[in-house]
Amino acid sequence: MNQKKKITVAYGDGIGPEIMQASLRILEAAGAQLDYEKIEIGEAVYKRGISAGIEPSAWESLRNTRCFYKAPITTPQGGGFKSLNVTVRKTLGLYANVRPCVSYHPFVKTKHPVMDVVIVRENEEDLYAGIEHRQTEQVYQCLKLISKPGCEKIVRYAFEYAKAYNRKRVTCFTKDNIMKLTDGLFHKTFDEIAKEYPDIENEHWIVDIGAAKLADSPENFDVIVMPNLYGDILSDVAAQITGSVGLAGSANIGEGFAMFEAIHGSAPRRAGQNLANPSGLLLGGIQMLVHLGQADAATQAHNAWMKTMEDGIHTYDIFQEGTSKQKVGTKEFADAVIERMGQKPAQLKAVNYQGSSVPASTAYQFKSTSPKKELVGVDVFLDWKSGTPNDLGAMLGKIQHESLKLSMISNRGVKVWPDGAAETFCTDHWRCRFVAREGKKLAHKNVIEILAEVEALGLDFIKTEHLCNFDGEPGYSLGQGQ
Ligand code: NAD
């Protein structure tokens, strides 16, 4: 018998308390060995003026148990509230979001009867760094940050998951035909790490056609790993096309912490009526038991749940005349699952989680290759609306710096000087690229000198980006049309 494992539990808002109670009852009946520390999160906490929706004292519990089972919460309308999920993920370093998306045909209506896809989404980086700036009247910017350690951790997690769950293939989605450096790094890291798993097939799709194929023929996919934004969108698409987002759970995994939840929200209109389907949260809880090494209880709970689905005992959201047999409330659904404990589904594929725990990654260490970094130029961004690209080129051409010369001006990434196309629409946001003159070595002070010259011309510079080579390889993209 397993020793009881302490976990932190939040009952959340809306339908949260009902579905959490139902899920915990089912997990306990399956033999889960859990002790609970209850914390409060969500609406009431936000309304007390705590912008992250979680009390400082709750972190103590999370640090203590390192495992968080979380019901959905309601984010109050209006500004000033920070996403609790993003805060928890980032604070605890939950870099992997794992979302199994499975069809339960013919018991839940779906256009895709054969579907068993696991989306492994990078959870901390990409556009979700939330670094945004308004730079000019017309232009706003959001920084997309992708790190080599971030890519290594998530891609390795996807392959380790595939290995632990006996999956045959890992697919990677990126848009590296456009974002050659950021998404390029993700794809390159995928190719490197895939070589360490010769028994698992690997493939890469550009995310647009990959997404189309996933929505059209999900039966052709197994495990899919992707950067944060694509993963956010496509994991909802994948869950929806199984027949219902209400049936999906998700795990958020880090090196020392993990959080498990349903993917749906707090459905406030259904709250307190014993109507909600606890399945998403339950399936998140089953992922939790596997993570905690309680494979027997996870197996029992999941098989009993599938048997209940097969027996047509359904909550209102998936109830269908003809297929379903009995419409039940949250409590009665949990009772039905508990009654079937020890049984296996007859048609759906029974699970066995023995040996499925993904090995907890030991403290990740980035192996530096100490690349030689060389400053070779600078992009100076301007807020300017006083003329044509050629006017700006002529103005900046007046700068006579001994080490740097103007090589290009672009607007929204498209080269507009020299030799721009007259048709290109220009905003008030200009990138002016200065590069090292033949044979000149650059230093930071040269950048400052260029900025002083730009300022002397009366131009409003809004930011700079250094152009560096790493071991001789350019660490920057060319202008479109350059
Ligand atoms: P929602 O997921 O709560 O509801 C969408 C629809 O699905 C509604 O019709 C709802 O009744 C139904 N539904 C959802 N879960 C169900 C269940 N278990 N059983 C039966 N029906 C279910 O999304 P929403 O309405 O956009 O958001 C409501 C609140 O939830 C918002 O405050 C939002 O910020 C929050 N939210 C929280 C989380 C989270 O805590 N992880 C995630 C998403 C949304």
Side-chain angles (χ1 to χ4, degrees), residues 283-296:
L283 293 174
I286 289 167
Q287 285 180 280
M288 175 175 74
L289 294 185
V290 179
H291 176 80
L292 295 174
Q294 300 189 18
D296 282 346

Side-chain angles (χ1 to χ4, degrees), residues 15 70 72-75 85 261-270 276-277 316-317:
I15 58 170
K70 176 186 157 290
I73 59 155
T74 302
T75 314
N85 265 10
E261 57 186 343
I263 70 164
H264 59 74
S266 59
R269 284 189 307 125
R270 309 288 180 194
N277 186 349
Y316 83 92
D317 55 310

